[in-house]
Amino acid sequence: PQQKKDDPQPPQPLYLDEVPSAKLLSTCQLDLGMGGGLLFECPGHYRDCTSQWHSAFQKFPGVTGAFCFGRVSVSAPEGSAALVAIARAYVRNSGHCPWPASTTLRLVAGHGWGFHELEVGSLGPGQDAELVLDLNCSQGHGLRSGWILEDGNDRPFGPLLVLEVEGHA
């Protein structure tokens, strides 16, 4: 049947103000195979680190926690040839709306190790994505770095992904 002009319109979803949502499904141990034997993983740092970062994101309701990929020890002088570590995280759109096409994984804390952002794009509710961080641990120095999903409107969401890097010979 045709709808008359007087008939009420069915309610439309209000996605414009809804902060996207993401759930961390899993991560993989760091892949240090391209580090030329000069990168080592420090035991005990692959963990949930929400309590350490909680005060930094308590004003951001879309941020669900923090997870540390691990701590990498570099045994080469700063500025050595590329010492690449690969970190992987698997996330799910756990919300009721699709992520905006402008969704990006963005560096928000620390040194980026050559990885500052990754265009993720739109992801429908219930869909999964693999986030691959290609990190050059020979660039610069520092201890902790953090990346988070951002919706293109400066609204962070999902888990904060953290990497710790220590030492240069």
Side-chain angles (χ1 to χ4, degrees):
Q2 267 189 324
Q3 193 169 10
K4 298 178 186 174
K5 287 186 179 183
D6 303 0
D7 289 347
Q9 295 291 320
Q12 298 296 315
L14 299 175
Y15 294 144
L16 297 178
D17 291 331
E18 187 173 339
V19 176
S21 180
K23 175 183 177 181
L24 180 64
L25 298 176
S26 67
T27 62
C28 296
Q29 292 288 107
L30 290 166
D31 178 355
L32 305 177
M34 294 189 287
L38 299 172
L39 298 178
F40 304 93
E41 189 162 359
C42 302
H45 295 277
Y46 179 79
R47 69 196 184 291
D48 182 297
C49 59
T50 301
S51 62
Q52 292 174 315
W53 289 82
H54 180 71
S55 63
F57 57 75
Q58 64 186 5
K59 293 182 181 180
F60 301 101
V63 179
T64 56
F67 189 85
C68 186
F69 287 117
R71 179 177 288 174
V72 176
S73 178
V74 180
S75 64
E78 185 175 337
S80 296
L83 300 172
V84 178
I86 306 291
R88 286 184 172 78
Y90 300 89
V91 295
R92 173 171 292 151
N93 178 342
S94 57
H96 301 288
C97 65
W99 294 353
S102 56
T103 298
T104 304
L105 180 67
R106 191 173 307 269
L107 177 71
V108 293
H111 188 74
W113 308 109
F115 185 91
H116 297 277
E117 67 180 32
L118 171 68
E119 291 182 23
V120 177
S122 185
L123 192 67
Q127 291 184 323
D128 300 345
E130 177 185 37
L131 307 175
V132 180
L133 291 75
D134 214 355
L135 306 156
N136 183 353
C137 296
S138 62
Q139 297 180 353
H141 52 78
L143 185 58
R144 282 192 189 110
S145 300
W147 295 264
I148 198 151
L149 291 165
E150 189 263 324
D151 70 355
N153 292 308
D154 296 325
R155 294 186 301 185
F157 67 97
L160 176 69
L161 302 173
V162 177
L163 177 71
E164 299 175 349
V165 178
E166 68 178 18
H168 280 280

